[in-house]
Amino acid sequence: MNTNRVPTERDMLAALREGQVDLRPFTIRNVTMSKRIANQELDGVLDLEWKRERFRFAVECKALSTPKAVEASCDTANRNAKKIKAEPLLFIPYLSRATLARLQDRNVSGIDLCGNVWISIPGKIYVERTGNPNQFPQSGEIKNVYRKASSIVARTFLLVPDFRSLGNALAEISNRGGEVTLATVSKVCKQMEADLVIERFRDESSQNRRLRLLQAEKLLGLLEQNYLSPIITKSVSLRLAKPFDDLAEKLERWNKSASKRIVQTGESSVDRYAVMAREPKVTAYCTSIDEVAELLGSNAKPDDRFPNCTLLQTSESQVYFDTREGLVASPVQTYLELMTGDKRSKETAEQVRNSILSALKTRESTDVPIRSAKRKSR
């Protein structure tokens, strides 16, 4: 089968029918495709034999293997299996460890096109042959929506867990200094819905589809797993004549557009969210080191020996999103950065994580009404 493209369900069923799917240690004894029962059509019925014992399965074939698609397919497989007194089986392009865990929770067996097999019939048989690599990477879960600029949309739900519409979410993002399009918001929300991170449902009081966070801890995990440190194009070490906090007000007035941004790194912002002993040195991201240096003037001099400030030049917008008073980084950015550090940093990150989740619970319990965010003047 061509691994350069995602196979269709027709491709997959044809491969199963023609014996091209590796199901060892089982032997295929019978395959029936498109079987109709009770006015519904099953994708197939499959008989597998092992050690002279035969097992019948109702096959549910799915080319898409997102969490939402897998959950729905498990429901269909269980329902159809009961109708023909067989066992439920899901057939997908690639059976990942995460998908396997979902199947185990739902008592549905699984096979794929990559040679992975998990067959479980309680009280009768248990066979697991997994670990084969994904030959159809495009069929897996799309993860890049949790990375770089696209992650701004996902991060917003960890700050405000409920929106009346996509436009309302976009307004909140803009209010917090993010610059994404409505199309990007839609794409990311669609993927988060497929990953069972948020839900989208029709608001009874309007024609809009409301969006609500379902699994905050899972969303934090996805952001962490996919986090990449920003690309730094230039850096400079400085000796500030005044504490950074005393200069922050001046820098905040300059920090007024997408082309002029500055914010402390997560590690330098940690004091706002957690307790962590560290050197009294500030590190900050900025869009232009030359412009910041010119703005600071005599208050900053290059010093590689005894610096108390380091500027890191980057144009990546996610680090500037949700900048707090005093040019402090967002709690989400702080958490993600700390999780890339050493053991002490990761332990501190847990404090930040708890702070993020506690703030969400407080917001949900007080049932804060949703309103369109006002755009900041830039």
Side-chain angles (χ1 to χ4, degrees):
M1 183 170 290
N2 184 1
T3 59
N4 293 324
R5 65 177 178 85
V6 178
T8 65
E9 289 166 11
R10 178 178 293 182
D11 294 333
M12 295 169 64
L13 292 171
L16 184 61
R17 182 178 60 248
E18 295 166 11
Q20 298 176 8
V21 181
D22 183 2
L23 297 179
R24 290 174 297 170
F26 295 96
T27 301
I28 299 177
R29 290 305 182 192
N30 184 44
V31 181
T32 304
M33 295 299 161
S34 301
K35 183 179 179 65
R36 293 194 65 82
I37 55 168
N39 296 323
Q40 290 190 352
E41 187 173 286
L42 277 73
D43 290 333
V45 177
L46 178 66
D47 286 346
L48 296 180
E49 184 176 272
W50 186 60
K51 291 187 176 181
R52 297 183 180 180
E53 190 167 1
R54 189 172 294 192
F55 307 95
R56 172 160 289 191
F57 295 89
V59 179
E60 177 65 16
C61 180
K62 202 72 176 177
L64 186 63
S65 54
T66 62
K68 184 177 181 180
V70 169
E71 289 289 329
S73 297
C74 285
D75 288 339
T76 301
N78 273 314
R79 185 168 58 249
N80 289 339
K82 290 179 181 178
K83 291 177 181 178
I84 63 171
K85 297 182 179 180
E87 301 296 330
L89 183 143
L90 179 61
F91 181 27
I92 55 179
Y94 175 61
L95 184 60
S96 67
R97 297 302 304 181
T99 300
L100 176 59
R102 294 187 187 97
L103 296 184
Q104 290 172 336
D105 289 341
R106 302 298 298 274
N107 295 318
V108 176
S109 295
I111 60 175
D112 69 10
L113 290 170
C114 303
N116 296 300
V117 175
W118 183 70
I119 300 294
S120 176
I121 303 176
K124 293 184 178 181
I125 190 172
Y126 181 98
V127 174
E128 181 176 337
R129 180 164 60 84
T130 57
N132 289 320
N134 187 2
Q135 299 177 28
F136 309 93
Q138 295 181 38
S139 68
E141 299 168 11
I142 301 172
K143 296 182 179 180
N144 62 0
V145 300
Y146 303 106
R147 181 175 293 169
K148 298 290 185 178
S150 295
S151 72
I152 288 174
V153 181
R155 296 181 188 203
T156 304
F157 280 87
L158 292 172
L159 305 168
V160 180
D162 196 344
F163 294 101
R164 287 199 179 120
S165 67
L166 289 172
N168 187 241
L170 179 62
E172 183 68 36
I173 291 170
S174 299
N175 187 52
R176 293 177 182 269
E179 296 193 355
V180 298
T181 65
L182 185 62
T184 297
V185 176
S186 178
K187 173 188 173 183
V188 175
C189 287
K190 182 178 180 180
Q191 184 60 45
M192 288 197 295
E193 182 185 24
D195 291 338
L196 301 180
V197 171
I198 67 169
E199 65 172 343
R200 296 197 291 181
F201 58 96
R202 187 70 62 187
D203 191 335
E204 295 180 358
S205 62
S206 70
Q207 296 301 314
N208 295 325
R209 294 193 68 188
R210 194 158 181 155
L211 305 100
R212 178 185 298 152
L213 179 65
L214 291 178
Q215 301 189 70
E217 293 186 24
K218 181 176 180 179
L219 179 53
L220 259 180
L222 286 167
L223 288 168
E224 177 194 336
Q225 292 164 24
N226 292 282
Y227 179 73
L228 292 178
S229 298
I231 296 174
I232 306 302
T233 57
K234 184 178 179 181
S235 66
V236 65
S237 297
L238 301 172
R239 185 73 186 176
L240 300 181
K242 297 179 180 180
F244 185 86
D245 289 348
D246 292 346
L247 301 170
E249 184 177 350
K250 186 176 185 179
L251 290 169
E252 282 181 320
R253 290 197 297 270
W254 174 83
N255 181 51
K256 60 183 179 181
S257 71
S259 61
K260 295 182 178 182
R261 304 295 294 275
I262 183 169
V263 64
Q264 296 183 62
T265 63
E267 185 172 354
S268 291
S269 303
V270 70
D271 293 344
R272 182 70 63 89
Y273 310 111
V275 177
M276 180 181 178
R278 62 184 185 86
E279 295 182 12
K281 178 182 176 181
V282 173
T283 302
Y285 299 117
C286 66
T287 50
S288 173
I289 284 178
D290 293 340
E291 289 189 38
V292 172
E294 182 180 353
L295 183 69
L296 293 175
S298 60
N299 287 309
K301 294 183 179 180
D303 190 337
D304 292 327
R305 295 186 63 190
F306 304 105
N308 58 7
C309 177
T310 299
L311 295 180
L312 305 175
Q313 185 169 296
T314 181
S315 60
E316 297 195 12
S317 59
Q318 70 276 9
V319 301
Y320 305 110
F321 175 65
D322 191 36
T323 297
R324 304 297 174 93
E325 184 179 357
L327 299 178
V328 173
S330 166
V332 179
Q333 178 67 25
T334 301
Y335 170 78
L336 295 175
E337 285 189 33
L338 290 173
M339 286 301 293
T340 66
D342 56 20
K343 181 180 179 182
R344 184 169 67 96
S345 294
K346 290 179 179 178
E347 290 174 349
T348 306
E350 284 300 307
Q351 298 180 49
V352 183
R353 177 179 182 274
N354 292 336
S355 175
I356 293 170
L357 297 177
S358 295
L360 277 173
K361 290 180 180 178
T362 299
R363 189 178 184 105
E364 291 170 352
S365 64
T366 55
D367 193 24
V368 176
I370 299 175
R371 51 187 172 80
S372 297
K374 294 182 179 178
R375 186 184 297 269
K376 285 183 178 179
S377 59
R378 290 199 176 282

